Amino acid sequence: MVDMSLVAPDSLMNLSSSLSSLILNSCGLQGKLPSSMRKFKHPQYLNLGDNSFSGPIPYDFEQLTELVSLVLSGNENDYLSLEPTSFDKLAQNLTQLRALRLSMVDMSMVAPDSLMNLSSSLSSLILYSCRLQGKFPSSMRKFKHLQYLDLRYSNLTGSIPYDFGQLNELVSIDLSFNDYLSVEPISFDKIVQNLTKLRALRLVLSLWGCGLQGKFPGNIFLLPNLQELDLTYNDRLTGSFPSSNVSNDLWLLGLSRTRISVYLENDFFTNLKLLEVLVLRYCNILRSNLTLIGHLTQLTRLELAGSNLGGKIPLSHRNLVQLNSLYLDNNNFSGQIPDFLSLSNNHLLGTIPSQINTLSLKLFDLRNNHLHGPVPSSIFKQENLEVLALASNSNLTGKISSSICNLKFLRLLHLSNNSFSGSVPQCLGNFSNSLSILNLGMNNLQGTIFSTFSKGNNLEYLNLNGNELEGKIPSSIINCAMLEILDLGSNKIEDTFPYFLETLPELHVLVLKSNKLQGFVNGPTANDSFPKLRIFDISSNNLSGPLPTEYLSRLEALMAYDKKSAYMIGGNYSGYAYSYSIRVAWKGFEIKGQIPLSLGMLFNLESLDLSSNLLTGRIPQQLASITFLAVLNLSHNQLEGAIPSGTQFNTFNASSFEGNLGLCGFPMPKDCNSSEAPALQPSNFHDGDDSTFYGDGFGWKAVETGYGCGFVFGVTVGYVVFRTRKPAWVLRLVEDKWNLKARRTKKNARRNGLSFE
């Protein structure tokens, strides 16, 4: 991996024409691929992957007829591209090819059936993120020697062919994230039966309701070599996970978003001692004894979010000496956060392995539980911590320790909706250029906003809303050139209007409401003021003077509909999804009306908060069909009738519905009887017009085109997060901004291809 970033690609033509191997991956090469590759008449191995090449792959590559291995994957600057004609000739001429790796090469014009023209001796076909689109080839039996197949992150449709079961040399299959690709149960059973060499099976499908269906085939664990199994998002896959029959060689298990019942009991922990990655987000965990989880001493990543787990967090986590990612968010854990990261409480567990000193958390997520008390100081001493999320526990107290400034790699800090007090550590403005998301909103913090923001920082989201902060808005905030959302509302800030914020080039959302801003609001002071601002809230201040019409007339981003806009949707860091939300008013009024039936159309909705409004009528039965719904809050309205049953509704507790005296049925203490509260029958989503509920057109259409990912509902509102895997607007923000970082991290990963939601 010599740095060749200053070497012109065409200078490679000066090498000897008798070369049999040219391996220059990860050397920093950039520009166009050499156009005279025909000079090399006998190369067998050509690897130019993981550089920064761009443009079309030259026709000359098709003349390298002795190639056994061709690797052009991972050129992430601008996509390399491969035209259909070039690919056809490549497939026709390279008859000795055994390994083809073109990941992240744009092959969007290449028909999937063209893959069948490749050499039958192919053993490795790695084409992830190649933008392939169209129907999956109807037969694959030609590739009898295929060992590694990776077509994830494409737009393949149709069914995986039955003859996959004949490819008995397969070692690894990854067809994840092809949203409309499905697998028939019979086909899946054949894969399970015949692929005795299979070590890795990743079929992360079904985001749009496709993918696996039927019962989970327990005989998959009869495969003697299986080490990796990821069936995430197969939401129609049912049955039980047979932990009593599982091979102890399994190191990766992902069953998130399935209906497979998992029993986290003795057999599970004793038979899976080699597990390194366990992902059961929003899974159907029926029984659990988490005190035994300390037996999984090889775990590096543990995700049990949204699985209705409760009680105290077991201290046995301190046995997980390899753990670097811990997700226990959106559960019902109570009590204090255990100090399992500290060596000072040895008496709580008995003998602690000496290697506990190697424990180094990178991601720690306990959002949306019922925890209380102070945060253990040991958490703030995890020097490699990159994500810390303790939001929405309500009763976490104490001060935010200044030792947080030791976390030099922190990228996300989310402590909102708690009861933290004291001052905001002043170092947060400049202690780390890696910090992207900082949310301390809805606490009891006092003092002033940190006065110094360092130049060159990466801050994109800053929320200090709902505290008791005083003083002025520091002018050094203009150093936050990447800032997209700034929410300082509902504090005690005394200042004039901060005109310097006009120069922030990426600012989409500015909320300064409910402070003590005073003086006149004049016109803009810059020629290109607030170039991307879309939400502007300065209500409930002491501003005076005439309405600044010139100011408002220049806010062009507020007027234009931009399909590329991706504000308020959050980001994704190393598998950690974070959703931005703010509170705004709709026409200045609380809205009285029923919950629109069209909400049931949002099949990928994960969080719905309509609490503390004046909503009437019944809860639509259609909401029960949203299988991804993980967070629901309909409390403190005027709803009545039976609460829908089934699917996710069986996982919500009474707090989701409290304050609605007319509601009955599980989980409320009031039972329903047939004469008192008949359940609402499903109806056609197009019955009626949602706009009648809201008057001036504020129905589903307004939500879809006007907000994209925020459902504004009254003065006191929550938010709706529409998080699908890769709609166009998420692609631009999540892939373009975050995945480039992730790709670099994954290049040197021990096991390539691991992907989670």
Side-chain angles (χ1 to χ4, degrees), residues 510-563:
L510 175 61
V511 178
L512 301 174
K513 68 176 182 179
S514 301
N515 278 289
K516 298 180 181 180
L517 299 180
Q518 54 190 329
F520 294 91
V521 178
N522 299 315
T525 60
N527 291 329
D528 190 18
S529 61
F530 294 123
K532 295 187 178 180
L533 195 66
R534 289 180 172 271
I535 293 180
F536 185 41
D537 191 346
I538 55 174
S539 62
S540 301
N541 279 288
N542 298 321
L543 298 169
S544 58
L547 188 68
T549 54
E550 184 182 0
Y551 217 143
L552 298 178
S553 65
R554 290 198 183 185
L555 298 178
E556 296 180 359
L558 278 169
M559 309 170 195
Y561 172 62
D562 183 5
K563 292 182 179 180

Side-chain angles (χ1 to χ4, degrees), residues 260-416:
I260 300 171
S261 299
V262 180
Y263 301 85
L264 294 178
E265 295 182 310
N266 291 2
D267 285 347
F268 187 95
F269 297 111
T270 56
N271 291 345
L272 297 171
K273 289 184 178 180
L274 296 183
L275 264 185
E276 296 179 25
V277 178
L278 177 60
V279 184
L280 302 178
R281 296 178 67 88
Y282 305 108
C283 204
N284 190 20
I285 297 178
L286 294 184
R287 293 196 300 269
S288 62
N289 184 0
L290 293 184
T291 59
L292 300 174
I293 207 166
H295 291 293
L296 305 180
T297 57
Q298 301 301 310
L299 272 183
T300 61
R301 185 184 188 98
L302 174 62
E303 297 194 32
L304 299 177
S307 296
N308 205 30
L309 299 170
K312 293 186 177 181
I313 298 174
L315 290 172
S316 58
H317 281 104
R318 67 165 71 223
N319 283 345
L320 308 180
V321 296
Q322 307 296 331
L323 195 67
N324 59 52
S325 301
L326 177 61
Y327 300 78
L328 299 177
D329 52 290
N330 292 291
N331 280 296
N332 296 312
F333 288 114
S334 58
Q336 295 190 353
I337 300 175
D339 198 8
F340 59 85
L341 300 174
S342 173
L343 296 177
S344 62
N345 294 327
N346 294 1
H347 63 281
L348 293 176
L349 192 67
T351 303
I352 298 177
S354 59
Q355 61 265 43
I356 191 70
N357 291 309
T358 66
L359 181 61
S360 182
L361 278 182
K362 290 186 177 181
L363 294 97
F364 188 51
D365 190 349
L366 292 177
R367 290 173 298 158
N368 299 311
N369 281 286
H370 306 291
L371 302 168
H372 64 79
V375 177
S377 59
S378 58
I379 291 178
F380 297 118
K381 297 177 182 178
Q382 292 292 302
E383 294 185 357
N384 292 316
L385 200 64
E386 298 176 3
V387 171
L388 176 59
L390 306 176
S392 300
N393 282 286
S394 298
N395 290 314
L396 289 178
T397 58
K399 296 182 178 180
I400 300 175
S401 172
S402 59
S403 60
I404 199 171
C405 301
N406 297 324
L407 308 182
K408 300 299 183 183
F409 301 103
L410 196 65
R411 305 175 75 92
L412 183 149
L413 179 61
H414 189 14
L415 305 179
S416 69

Side-chain angles (χ1 to χ4, degrees), residues 172-186:
S172 177
I173 306 172
D174 197 340
L175 303 177
S176 302
F177 301 114
N178 285 275
D179 290 339
Y180 295 96
L181 188 63
S182 61
V183 187
E184 300 299 329
I186 296 176

Side-chain angles (χ1 to χ4, degrees), residues 15 28 36 41 47 66 147 191 193 230 263 266 287 325 377 407 410 446 490 537 578 602 655 668 704 711 747:
L15 295 170
S36 301
K41 300 185 183 299
N47 187 343
E66 296 183 24
Q147 293 180 306
I191 291 175
Q193 276 183 330
D230 192 354
Y263 301 85
N266 291 2
R287 293 196 300 269
S325 301
S377 59
L407 308 182
L410 196 65
Q446 300 174 334
S490 302
D537 191 346
Y578 180 80
L602 308 178
S655 63
M668 303 300 286
E704 181 183 37
F711 187 93
K747 282 179 184 178

Side-chain angles (χ1 to χ4, degrees), residues 670-719:
K670 180 181 178 182
D671 291 329
C672 299
N673 58 58
S674 57
S675 61
E676 180 184 47
L680 199 66
Q681 295 300 314
S683 61
N684 192 302
F685 286 127
H686 300 290
D687 287 347
D689 181 1
D690 287 340
S691 65
T692 60
F693 295 138
Y694 309 104
D696 206 6
F698 185 65
W700 162 240
K701 291 182 180 178
V703 175
E704 181 183 37
T705 61
Y707 292 92
C709 72
F711 187 93
V712 183
F713 210 103
V715 175
T716 306
V717 299
Y719 62 93

Side-chain angles (χ1 to χ4, degrees), residues 599 602 605-610 709-711 718-722:
L599 280 179
L602 308 178
L605 189 68
E606 295 193 4
S607 178
L608 175 61
D609 187 343
L610 303 178
C709 72
F711 187 93
Y719 62 93
V720 173
V721 180
F722 299 87

